[in-house]
Amino acid sequence: MPETVPQHRIDRRQVLRGALAAALPGIALPASAATPKPLLVGGLPVTCNLTLPVACVARAAANAGEKNGAPQFEFEYSKYSGWPEIKESLMAGRIQAPLVMDLAEKRIPVKIVSLGHRSGAVIMVRTDSPYQHFKELAGKRIAIPSRFAVDLLFLRKMLAQEGMTEKEIQVVEMAPPDMPAALYAKAVDAYCTGEPFGAAAQRAGYARVLRMTRDEWRNYICCVLTVREELIKENRPLVQDLVNYILGAGVWLDEQQENREKAVAIAAGRKYFNQDPNIIRFVMENPTDRVTYGDLRLIRDEFEELMQLSIEAGVFKSPVAYDKYVDESFAKAAHPATMGL
């Protein structure tokens, strides 16, 4: 049987406690400034989002060591199993963020305030499959997290290299935690997603990497930190603190391999990704730059490229203006926090 990454579900009662801001990754708004509560940070259990658990734990450690009575912010991580679940909660009014370009087009007031990582996506096929080139995937079933996920753009980019189009394959939407088992059962012929769901199948021995963003699209972005505009207006210091900790976590993760080992121990816990640490470690080591976190700059040209690719994929009919879905002010004012872990 395959060594799969367990799927989990968010505690709906927790979601309903206050106004939320989710994202890929994302955040939540406390009930009020007068009665501060932890800022709920929602994200998928993927190593692309590894900065989130690290930031939450580092912030808690800083709070515990605070001696001068300064105001303390607090972040609490909450897991989602897939993009459809996040979007469902958004439409029901329970969360306030996710795929920002799509939401901005629908006039939902959200802004990207930071990146979450770079690279970190893979296209996996079975070890015993004959596929070496994308031409051999013609007519095959390939799973992606969502048609609104950047993974689709990566897949289309690889198809284009072989002179193929999306019409020549069968695209299936599937929650990333379900993909390794689906490949094992031959329910799909390949899947394209963020880690560690490629590593889970690769480490178990029944899958291999067909393409990896580290080799094909080095500045690839699939996860961003997003907040609702009302949170920006009501509590800029809180948003700035979160951005500082996300950027600090990124620098810390890429600083030395020992830090990544500490992050593995954090993320594997039930409170965070609830995954086999050996799978997360596999991502961190095979190779060590399979996912990178140190460069989380917001670069307009990179988002413009994603927008153009999204239009070509039929995700959008016309361009969404960069300033409509990105707020650079927090990244520009950021001072990456010291992790102290």
Side-chain angles (χ1 to χ4, degrees), residues 155-219:
L155 176 61
R156 286 173 57 88
K157 207 168 204 197
M158 296 302 96
L159 288 169
Q161 286 187 7
E162 296 287 350
M164 297 174 66
T165 70
E166 188 186 335
K167 294 180 181 179
E168 296 175 62
I169 59 174
Q170 299 177 49
V171 174
V172 180
E173 294 185 53
M174 183 179 295
D178 295 336
M179 291 181 182
L183 185 69
Y184 181 83
K186 299 184 179 180
V188 297
D189 300 289
Y191 63 85
C192 178
T193 192
E195 295 291 6
F197 303 109
Q202 184 181 358
R203 184 173 177 274
Y206 61 88
R208 59 181 169 83
V209 176
L210 184 62
R211 293 291 186 274
M212 191 180 294
T213 50
R214 74 177 288 274
D215 301 319
E216 307 289 347
W217 193 354
R218 192 69 180 183
N219 63 345

Short mmCIF file of all heavy atoms in Angstrom, two decimals, residues 155-219:
data_model
loop_
_atom_site.label_atom_id
_atom_site.label_comp_id
_atom_site.label_asym_id
_atom_site.label_seq_id
_atom_site.Cartn_x
_atom_site.Cartn_y
_atom_site.Cartn_z
N LEU A 155 1.68 22.90 -15.57
CA LEU A 155 1.37 21.78 -16.45
C LEU A 155 1.27 22.24 -17.90
O LEU A 155 1.85 21.62 -18.81
CB LEU A 155 0.05 21.12 -16.01
CG LEU A 155 -0.47 19.98 -16.88
CD1 LEU A 155 0.53 18.83 -16.93
CD2 LEU A 155 -1.82 19.50 -16.36
N ARG A 156 0.58 23.35 -18.12
CA ARG A 156 0.42 23.87 -19.48
C ARG A 156 1.78 24.31 -20.07
O ARG A 156 2.03 24.13 -21.27
CB ARG A 156 -0.55 25.05 -19.48
CG ARG A 156 -2.01 24.64 -19.31
CD ARG A 156 -2.89 25.86 -19.14
NE ARG A 156 -2.76 26.78 -20.25
CZ ARG A 156 -3.49 26.74 -21.38
NH1 ARG A 156 -4.42 25.79 -21.52
NH2 ARG A 156 -3.32 27.62 -22.34
N LYS A 157 2.63 24.84 -19.22
CA LYS A 157 3.96 25.26 -19.68
C LYS A 157 4.76 24.05 -20.19
O LYS A 157 5.44 24.12 -21.21
CB LYS A 157 4.69 25.94 -18.52
CG LYS A 157 5.71 26.96 -18.94
CD LYS A 157 6.18 27.78 -17.75
CE LYS A 157 6.68 29.05 -18.18
NZ LYS A 157 7.37 30.02 -17.83
N MET A 158 4.67 22.94 -19.46
CA MET A 158 5.39 21.74 -19.85
C MET A 158 4.79 21.12 -21.12
O MET A 158 5.51 20.61 -21.98
CB MET A 158 5.38 20.73 -18.71
CG MET A 158 6.12 21.20 -17.45
SD MET A 158 7.86 21.62 -17.74
CE MET A 158 7.76 23.40 -17.96
N LEU A 159 3.47 21.20 -21.24
CA LEU A 159 2.82 20.70 -22.45
C LEU A 159 3.29 21.52 -23.67
O LEU A 159 3.57 20.96 -24.73
CB LEU A 159 1.30 20.80 -22.32
CG LEU A 159 0.63 19.81 -21.36
CD1 LEU A 159 -0.82 20.21 -21.11
CD2 LEU A 159 0.71 18.39 -21.89
N ALA A 160 3.36 22.84 -23.48
CA ALA A 160 3.75 23.72 -24.58
C ALA A 160 5.15 23.39 -25.09
O ALA A 160 5.43 23.51 -26.29
CB ALA A 160 3.67 25.17 -24.14
N GLN A 161 6.03 22.98 -24.19
CA GLN A 161 7.38 22.62 -24.60
C GLN A 161 7.39 21.44 -25.57
O GLN A 161 8.32 21.27 -26.36
CB GLN A 161 8.24 22.28 -23.37
CG GLN A 161 8.64 23.49 -22.56
CD GLN A 161 9.63 23.14 -21.45
OE1 GLN A 161 10.11 22.01 -21.36
NE2 GLN A 161 9.93 24.10 -20.60
N GLU A 162 6.34 20.61 -25.48
CA GLU A 162 6.23 19.45 -26.37
C GLU A 162 5.30 19.72 -27.54
O GLU A 162 4.92 18.81 -28.29
CB GLU A 162 5.70 18.25 -25.58
CG GLU A 162 6.61 17.78 -24.47
CD GLU A 162 7.85 17.05 -25.00
OE1 GLU A 162 7.88 16.75 -26.21
OE2 GLU A 162 8.77 16.80 -24.19
N GLY A 163 4.88 21.00 -27.69
CA GLY A 163 3.98 21.35 -28.78
C GLY A 163 2.58 20.83 -28.57
O GLY A 163 1.82 20.64 -29.54
N MET A 164 2.19 20.61 -27.30
CA MET A 164 0.87 20.08 -26.97
C MET A 164 0.01 21.16 -26.32
O MET A 164 0.52 22.20 -25.88
CB MET A 164 0.99 18.89 -26.02
CG MET A 164 1.72 17.70 -26.59
SD MET A 164 1.96 16.41 -25.36
CE MET A 164 0.26 15.88 -25.06
N THR A 165 -1.28 20.92 -26.24
CA THR A 165 -2.20 21.81 -25.53
C THR A 165 -2.95 21.01 -24.48
O THR A 165 -2.94 19.77 -24.48
CB THR A 165 -3.22 22.46 -26.49
OG1 THR A 165 -4.13 21.45 -26.95
CG2 THR A 165 -2.52 23.10 -27.67
N GLU A 166 -3.63 21.73 -23.60
CA GLU A 166 -4.40 21.09 -22.54
C GLU A 166 -5.50 20.20 -23.10
O GLU A 166 -5.92 19.23 -22.45
CB GLU A 166 -5.00 22.18 -21.65
CG GLU A 166 -5.67 21.68 -20.39
CD GLU A 166 -6.36 22.79 -19.64
OE1 GLU A 166 -5.96 23.96 -19.78
OE2 GLU A 166 -7.31 22.49 -18.89
N LYS A 167 -5.98 20.50 -24.30
CA LYS A 167 -7.05 19.72 -24.90
C LYS A 167 -6.64 18.28 -25.20
O LYS A 167 -7.49 17.41 -25.40
CB LYS A 167 -7.52 20.39 -26.20
CG LYS A 167 -8.19 21.74 -25.98
CD LYS A 167 -8.62 22.36 -27.29
CE LYS A 167 -9.28 23.72 -27.09
NZ LYS A 167 -9.68 24.33 -28.38
N GLU A 168 -5.34 18.03 -25.20
CA GLU A 168 -4.84 16.70 -25.55
C GLU A 168 -4.69 15.77 -24.36
O GLU A 168 -4.27 14.63 -24.50
CB GLU A 168 -3.50 16.82 -26.28
CG GLU A 168 -3.62 17.54 -27.62
CD GLU A 168 -2.29 17.76 -28.29
OE1 GLU A 168 -1.60 16.77 -28.60
OE2 GLU A 168 -1.91 18.94 -28.49
N ILE A 169 -5.04 16.28 -23.15
CA ILE A 169 -5.00 15.45 -21.95
C ILE A 169 -6.34 15.58 -21.23
O ILE A 169 -7.17 16.41 -21.58
CB ILE A 169 -3.86 15.87 -21.00
CG1 ILE A 169 -4.03 17.34 -20.59
CG2 ILE A 169 -2.50 15.64 -21.65
CD1 ILE A 169 -3.05 17.81 -19.54
N GLN A 170 -6.54 14.75 -20.20
CA GLN A 170 -7.74 14.85 -19.37
C GLN A 170 -7.33 15.41 -18.01
O GLN A 170 -6.61 14.75 -17.26
CB GLN A 170 -8.36 13.47 -19.17
CG GLN A 170 -8.81 12.79 -20.45
CD GLN A 170 -9.36 11.40 -20.18
OE1 GLN A 170 -10.20 11.20 -19.30
NE2 GLN A 170 -8.88 10.42 -20.93
N VAL A 171 -7.78 16.63 -17.72
CA VAL A 171 -7.44 17.28 -16.45
C VAL A 171 -8.51 16.94 -15.42
O VAL A 171 -9.70 17.08 -15.66
CB VAL A 171 -7.32 18.80 -16.62
CG1 VAL A 171 -7.12 19.48 -15.26
CG2 VAL A 171 -6.16 19.14 -17.55
N VAL A 172 -8.06 16.47 -14.25
CA VAL A 172 -8.95 16.08 -13.16
C VAL A 172 -8.61 16.93 -11.94
O VAL A 172 -7.44 17.04 -11.56
CB VAL A 172 -8.77 14.58 -12.80
CG1 VAL A 172 -9.70 14.18 -11.67
CG2 VAL A 172 -8.99 13.71 -14.03
N GLU A 173 -9.61 17.54 -11.32
CA GLU A 173 -9.38 18.32 -10.10
C GLU A 173 -9.46 17.39 -8.89
O GLU A 173 -10.39 16.59 -8.78
CB GLU A 173 -10.39 19.44 -9.97
CG GLU A 173 -10.26 20.50 -11.06
CD GLU A 173 -11.19 21.67 -10.85
OE1 GLU A 173 -11.18 22.26 -9.75
OE2 GLU A 173 -11.94 22.01 -11.80
N MET A 174 -8.48 17.51 -7.99
CA MET A 174 -8.40 16.59 -6.85
C MET A 174 -7.64 17.25 -5.71
O MET A 174 -6.67 17.97 -5.94
CB MET A 174 -7.67 15.31 -7.30
CG MET A 174 -7.55 14.22 -6.27
SD MET A 174 -6.68 12.77 -6.96
CE MET A 174 -7.84 12.23 -8.22
N ALA A 175 -8.06 17.01 -4.47
CA ALA A 175 -7.33 17.52 -3.32
C ALA A 175 -5.94 16.89 -3.29
O ALA A 175 -5.80 15.67 -3.45
CB ALA A 175 -8.08 17.21 -2.03
N PRO A 176 -4.88 17.68 -3.10
CA PRO A 176 -3.51 17.14 -3.12
C PRO A 176 -3.28 15.92 -2.22
O PRO A 176 -2.58 14.99 -2.65
CB PRO A 176 -2.66 18.34 -2.68
CG PRO A 176 -3.42 19.52 -3.18
CD PRO A 176 -4.87 19.16 -2.98
N PRO A 177 -3.86 15.87 -0.99
CA PRO A 177 -3.60 14.68 -0.17
C PRO A 177 -4.11 13.38 -0.78
O PRO A 177 -3.66 12.30 -0.41
CB PRO A 177 -4.35 15.00 1.14
CG PRO A 177 -4.41 16.48 1.20
CD PRO A 177 -4.60 16.90 -0.23
N ASP A 178 -5.05 13.47 -1.73
CA ASP A 178 -5.62 12.27 -2.36
C ASP A 178 -4.82 11.80 -3.57
O ASP A 178 -5.03 10.70 -4.08
CB ASP A 178 -7.07 12.53 -2.80
CG ASP A 178 -7.99 12.80 -1.64
OD1 ASP A 178 -7.69 12.36 -0.51
OD2 ASP A 178 -9.03 13.47 -1.85
N MET A 179 -3.91 12.63 -4.05
CA MET A 179 -3.24 12.33 -5.31
C MET A 179 -2.31 11.11 -5.26
O MET A 179 -2.35 10.28 -6.19
CB MET A 179 -2.47 13.56 -5.79
CG MET A 179 -3.38 14.70 -6.23
SD MET A 179 -2.40 16.11 -6.81
CE MET A 179 -3.71 17.28 -7.18
N PRO A 180 -1.46 10.95 -4.23
CA PRO A 180 -0.59 9.77 -4.23
C PRO A 180 -1.37 8.45 -4.31
O PRO A 180 -1.01 7.55 -5.09
CB PRO A 180 0.16 9.90 -2.91
CG PRO A 180 0.18 11.36 -2.63
CD PRO A 180 -1.16 11.85 -3.10
N ALA A 181 -2.44 8.33 -3.52
CA ALA A 181 -3.23 7.10 -3.53
C ALA A 181 -3.92 6.90 -4.87
O ALA A 181 -4.05 5.77 -5.36
CB ALA A 181 -4.26 7.13 -2.41
N ALA A 182 -4.36 8.00 -5.50
CA ALA A 182 -5.01 7.90 -6.81
C ALA A 182 -4.03 7.41 -7.86
O ALA A 182 -4.39 6.60 -8.73
CB ALA A 182 -5.59 9.26 -7.21
N LEU A 183 -2.78 7.86 -7.79
CA LEU A 183 -1.76 7.39 -8.73
C LEU A 183 -1.45 5.92 -8.47
O LEU A 183 -1.33 5.12 -9.42
CB LEU A 183 -0.49 8.23 -8.60
CG LEU A 183 0.62 7.91 -9.60
CD1 LEU A 183 0.21 8.34 -11.01
CD2 LEU A 183 1.93 8.60 -9.22
N TYR A 184 -1.35 5.54 -7.22
CA TYR A 184 -1.08 4.14 -6.85
C TYR A 184 -2.16 3.22 -7.38
O TYR A 184 -1.88 2.12 -7.88
CB TYR A 184 -0.98 4.03 -5.33
CG TYR A 184 -0.67 2.64 -4.83
CD1 TYR A 184 0.65 2.18 -4.78
CD2 TYR A 184 -1.68 1.80 -4.40
CE1 TYR A 184 0.94 0.90 -4.32
CE2 TYR A 184 -1.40 0.52 -3.94
CZ TYR A 184 -0.09 0.08 -3.90
OH TYR A 184 0.19 -1.19 -3.44
N ALA A 185 -3.42 3.67 -7.27
CA ALA A 185 -4.56 2.86 -7.71
C ALA A 185 -4.80 2.96 -9.22
O ALA A 185 -5.75 2.36 -9.73
CB ALA A 185 -5.81 3.30 -6.96
N LYS A 186 -3.98 3.73 -9.91
CA LYS A 186 -4.10 3.95 -11.35
C LYS A 186 -5.39 4.65 -11.72
O LYS A 186 -5.89 4.53 -12.84
CB LYS A 186 -3.96 2.64 -12.12
CG LYS A 186 -2.61 1.96 -11.92
CD LYS A 186 -2.45 0.70 -12.78
CE LYS A 186 -1.07 0.07 -12.57
NZ LYS A 186 -0.88 -1.14 -13.39
N ALA A 187 -5.93 5.43 -10.77
CA ALA A 187 -7.11 6.25 -11.05
C ALA A 187 -6.71 7.47 -11.88
O ALA A 187 -7.55 8.05 -12.57
CB ALA A 187 -7.77 6.69 -9.75
N VAL A 188 -5.44 7.87 -11.78
CA VAL A 188 -4.88 8.91 -12.64
C VAL A 188 -3.54 8.40 -13.16
O VAL A 188 -2.93 7.49 -12.58
CB VAL A 188 -4.69 10.25 -11.90
CG1 VAL A 188 -6.03 10.81 -11.44
CG2 VAL A 188 -3.73 10.10 -10.72
N ASP A 189 -3.10 9.00 -14.26
CA ASP A 189 -1.83 8.59 -14.86
C ASP A 189 -0.67 9.47 -14.41
O ASP A 189 0.50 9.08 -14.52
CB ASP A 189 -1.93 8.64 -16.39
CG ASP A 189 -3.02 7.72 -16.91
OD1 ASP A 189 -2.83 6.50 -16.86
OD2 ASP A 189 -4.07 8.24 -17.34
N ALA A 190 -1.00 10.66 -13.89
CA ALA A 190 0.00 11.59 -13.42
C ALA A 190 -0.70 12.62 -12.54
O ALA A 190 -1.93 12.74 -12.57
CB ALA A 190 0.70 12.28 -14.58
N TYR A 191 0.08 13.35 -11.76
CA TYR A 191 -0.50 14.48 -11.02
C TYR A 191 0.51 15.59 -10.88
O TYR A 191 1.73 15.36 -10.89
CB TYR A 191 -1.07 14.05 -9.67
CG TYR A 191 -0.11 13.50 -8.64
CD1 TYR A 191 0.63 14.34 -7.80
CD2 TYR A 191 0.03 12.12 -8.47
CE1 TYR A 191 1.47 13.82 -6.82
CE2 TYR A 191 0.87 11.59 -7.50
CZ TYR A 191 1.58 12.46 -6.67
OH TYR A 191 2.42 11.94 -5.71
N CYS A 192 -0.01 16.80 -10.78
CA CYS A 192 0.81 18.01 -10.70
C CYS A 192 0.37 18.79 -9.46
O CYS A 192 -0.78 19.23 -9.39
CB CYS A 192 0.61 18.85 -11.96
SG CYS A 192 1.53 20.40 -11.98
N THR A 193 1.29 18.95 -8.50
CA THR A 193 0.91 19.63 -7.26
C THR A 193 2.15 20.05 -6.49
O THR A 193 3.28 19.75 -6.89
CB THR A 193 0.05 18.70 -6.39
OG1 THR A 193 -0.55 19.46 -5.33
CG2 THR A 193 0.87 17.57 -5.79
N GLY A 194 1.92 20.74 -5.39
CA GLY A 194 3.01 21.14 -4.51
C GLY A 194 3.41 20.00 -3.58
O GLY A 194 2.65 19.05 -3.37
N GLU A 195 4.59 20.12 -3.03
CA GLU A 195 5.09 19.12 -2.08
C GLU A 195 4.40 19.27 -0.71
O GLU A 195 3.89 20.34 -0.40
CB GLU A 195 6.60 19.27 -1.92
CG GLU A 195 7.40 18.98 -3.18
CD GLU A 195 7.39 17.51 -3.57
OE1 GLU A 195 6.66 16.71 -2.94
OE2 GLU A 195 8.11 17.15 -4.51
N PRO A 196 4.33 18.17 0.08
CA PRO A 196 5.10 16.93 -0.03
C PRO A 196 4.37 15.79 -0.72
O PRO A 196 4.72 14.63 -0.53
CB PRO A 196 5.33 16.58 1.45
CG PRO A 196 4.04 16.97 2.09
CD PRO A 196 3.62 18.24 1.38
N PHE A 197 3.36 16.10 -1.53
CA PHE A 197 2.55 15.02 -2.08
C PHE A 197 3.21 14.31 -3.25
O PHE A 197 2.79 13.23 -3.64
CB PHE A 197 1.16 15.56 -2.43
CG PHE A 197 0.50 16.18 -1.24
CD1 PHE A 197 0.32 17.55 -1.15
CD2 PHE A 197 0.11 15.40 -0.16
CE1 PHE A 197 -0.26 18.13 -0.03
CE2 PHE A 197 -0.47 15.97 0.96
CZ PHE A 197 -0.65 17.34 1.03
N GLY A 198 4.24 14.94 -3.83
CA GLY A 198 5.07 14.21 -4.78
C GLY A 198 6.07 13.33 -4.04
O GLY A 198 6.24 12.15 -4.36
N ALA A 199 6.67 13.89 -3.02
CA ALA A 199 7.66 13.16 -2.23
C ALA A 199 7.06 11.94 -1.55
O ALA A 199 7.74 10.91 -1.39
CB ALA A 199 8.28 14.09 -1.18
N ALA A 200 5.80 12.03 -1.12
CA ALA A 200 5.16 10.91 -0.44
C ALA A 200 5.15 9.67 -1.33
O ALA A 200 5.50 8.57 -0.89
CB ALA A 200 3.72 11.28 -0.05
N ALA A 201 4.78 9.84 -2.59
CA ALA A 201 4.73 8.71 -3.52
C ALA A 201 6.13 8.30 -3.99
O ALA A 201 6.42 7.11 -4.16
CB ALA A 201 3.86 9.08 -4.72
N GLN A 202 7.01 9.28 -4.18
CA GLN A 202 8.37 8.98 -4.60
C GLN A 202 9.12 8.19 -3.53
O GLN A 202 9.78 7.19 -3.83
CB GLN A 202 9.12 10.28 -4.91
CG GLN A 202 10.52 10.07 -5.46
CD GLN A 202 11.23 11.39 -5.74
OE1 GLN A 202 10.67 12.47 -5.56
NE2 GLN A 202 12.48 11.30 -6.17
N ARG A 203 9.01 8.64 -2.29
CA ARG A 203 9.70 7.95 -1.20
C ARG A 203 9.16 6.54 -0.99
O ARG A 203 9.90 5.62 -0.64
CB ARG A 203 9.56 8.76 0.09
CG ARG A 203 10.32 8.19 1.27
CD ARG A 203 10.26 9.14 2.46
NE ARG A 203 10.93 8.54 3.61
CZ ARG A 203 10.34 7.71 4.46
NH1 ARG A 203 9.06 7.41 4.32
NH2 ARG A 203 11.02 7.19 5.46
N ALA A 204 7.86 6.36 -1.25
CA ALA A 204 7.26 5.03 -1.11
C ALA A 204 7.66 4.09 -2.23
O ALA A 204 7.45 2.87 -2.13
CB ALA A 204 5.73 5.16 -1.06
N GLY A 205 8.21 4.65 -3.30
CA GLY A 205 8.78 3.81 -4.34
C GLY A 205 7.91 3.55 -5.55
O GLY A 205 8.37 2.93 -6.51
N TYR A 206 6.67 4.02 -5.56
CA TYR A 206 5.80 3.70 -6.69
C TYR A 206 5.63 4.87 -7.65
O TYR A 206 4.87 4.78 -8.63
CB TYR A 206 4.43 3.21 -6.21
CG TYR A 206 3.65 4.21 -5.39
CD1 TYR A 206 2.81 5.15 -5.98
CD2 TYR A 206 3.72 4.20 -4.00
CE1 TYR A 206 2.10 6.05 -5.23
CE2 TYR A 206 3.01 5.09 -3.23
CZ TYR A 206 2.20 6.02 -3.85
OH TYR A 206 1.49 6.92 -3.09
N ALA A 207 6.33 5.99 -7.41
CA ALA A 207 6.22 7.14 -8.30
C ALA A 207 7.59 7.78 -8.50
O ALA A 207 8.49 7.63 -7.68
CB ALA A 207 5.23 8.17 -7.74
N ARG A 208 7.71 8.49 -9.61
CA ARG A 208 8.93 9.23 -9.91
C ARG A 208 8.56 10.60 -10.46
O ARG A 208 7.44 10.82 -10.94
CB ARG A 208 9.80 8.47 -10.91
CG ARG A 208 9.13 8.18 -12.22
CD ARG A 208 10.04 7.40 -13.17
NE ARG A 208 9.31 6.90 -14.34
CZ ARG A 208 9.06 7.62 -15.42
NH1 ARG A 208 9.50 8.88 -15.50
NH2 ARG A 208 8.39 7.10 -16.44
N VAL A 209 9.51 11.51 -10.38
CA VAL A 209 9.30 12.88 -10.88
C VAL A 209 9.46 12.90 -12.39
O VAL A 209 10.46 12.43 -12.93
CB VAL A 209 10.31 13.85 -10.24
CG1 VAL A 209 10.16 15.24 -10.84
CG2 VAL A 209 10.14 13.90 -8.73
N LEU A 210 8.45 13.44 -13.07
CA LEU A 210 8.57 13.67 -14.51
C LEU A 210 9.14 15.06 -14.78
O LEU A 210 10.02 15.23 -15.62
CB LEU A 210 7.21 13.52 -15.19
CG LEU A 210 7.19 13.64 -16.71
CD1 LEU A 210 8.03 12.53 -17.35
CD2 LEU A 210 5.76 13.59 -17.24
N ARG A 211 8.65 16.05 -14.04
CA ARG A 211 9.16 17.41 -14.14
C ARG A 211 9.10 18.07 -12.76
O ARG A 211 8.22 17.76 -11.96
CB ARG A 211 8.37 18.24 -15.13
CG ARG A 211 8.51 17.81 -16.58
CD ARG A 211 9.90 18.08 -17.14
NE ARG A 211 9.98 17.79 -18.55
CZ ARG A 211 10.23 16.59 -19.07
NH1 ARG A 211 10.44 15.55 -18.26
NH2 ARG A 211 10.27 16.43 -20.38
N MET A 212 10.02 19.00 -12.50
CA MET A 212 10.10 19.68 -11.22
C MET A 212 10.30 21.18 -11.50
O MET A 212 11.10 21.54 -12.36
CB MET A 212 11.28 19.12 -10.42
CG MET A 212 11.36 19.53 -8.98
SD MET A 212 12.81 18.78 -8.14
CE MET A 212 12.37 17.04 -8.17
N THR A 213 9.60 22.03 -10.78
CA THR A 213 9.71 23.47 -11.05
C THR A 213 11.13 23.98 -10.81
O THR A 213 11.55 24.94 -11.45
CB THR A 213 8.73 24.29 -10.19
OG1 THR A 213 8.84 23.89 -8.82
CG2 THR A 213 7.31 24.11 -10.67
N ARG A 214 11.89 23.37 -9.91
CA ARG A 214 13.27 23.83 -9.66
C ARG A 214 14.10 23.79 -10.92
O ARG A 214 15.06 24.55 -11.09
CB ARG A 214 13.94 23.01 -8.55
CG ARG A 214 14.34 21.62 -8.99
CD ARG A 214 15.07 20.83 -7.93
NE ARG A 214 16.42 21.30 -7.69
CZ ARG A 214 17.49 20.91 -8.38
NH1 ARG A 214 17.35 20.05 -9.39
NH2 ARG A 214 18.68 21.36 -8.07
N ASP A 215 13.74 22.88 -11.85
CA ASP A 215 14.48 22.72 -13.10
C ASP A 215 13.85 23.49 -14.26
O ASP A 215 14.55 23.93 -15.17
CB ASP A 215 14.56 21.24 -13.49
CG ASP A 215 15.25 20.41 -12.43
OD1 ASP A 215 16.26 20.87 -11.87
OD2 ASP A 215 14.76 19.29 -12.15
N GLU A 216 12.54 23.65 -14.20
CA GLU A 216 11.82 24.18 -15.36
C GLU A 216 11.33 25.62 -15.19
O GLU A 216 11.13 26.32 -16.18
CB GLU A 216 10.59 23.28 -15.65
CG GLU A 216 10.91 21.81 -15.81
CD GLU A 216 11.67 21.51 -17.09
OE1 GLU A 216 11.75 22.39 -17.97
OE2 GLU A 216 12.20 20.38 -17.21
N TRP A 217 11.09 26.05 -13.93
CA TRP A 217 10.49 27.38 -13.70
C TRP A 217 10.97 27.85 -12.33
O TRP A 217 10.24 27.80 -11.36
CB TRP A 217 8.97 27.26 -13.75
CG TRP A 217 8.22 28.54 -13.83
CD1 TRP A 217 8.71 29.81 -13.76
CD2 TRP A 217 6.80 28.67 -14.00
NE1 TRP A 217 7.69 30.72 -13.86
CE2 TRP A 217 6.52 30.05 -14.03
CE3 TRP A 217 5.76 27.75 -14.13
CZ2 TRP A 217 5.21 30.53 -14.17
CZ3 TRP A 217 4.46 28.23 -14.27
CH2 TRP A 217 4.19 29.61 -14.29
N ARG A 218 12.21 28.32 -12.28
CA ARG A 218 12.89 28.55 -11.01
C ARG A 218 12.18 29.58 -10.12
O ARG A 218 12.20 29.45 -8.90
CB ARG A 218 14.32 29.01 -11.30
CG ARG A 218 15.25 29.02 -10.10
CD ARG A 218 15.56 27.61 -9.63
NE ARG A 218 16.45 27.57 -8.49
CZ ARG A 218 16.91 26.47 -7.93
NH1 ARG A 218 16.56 25.29 -8.42
NH2 ARG A 218 17.71 26.52 -6.90
N ASN A 219 11.58 30.60 -10.71
CA ASN A 219 10.92 31.63 -9.89
C ASN A 219 9.42 31.37 -9.73
O ASN A 219 8.64 32.29 -9.44
CB ASN A 219 11.15 33.02 -10.50
CG ASN A 219 10.55 33.16 -11.89
OD1 ASN A 219 10.20 32.18 -12.52
ND2 ASN A 219 10.44 34.39 -12.37
#
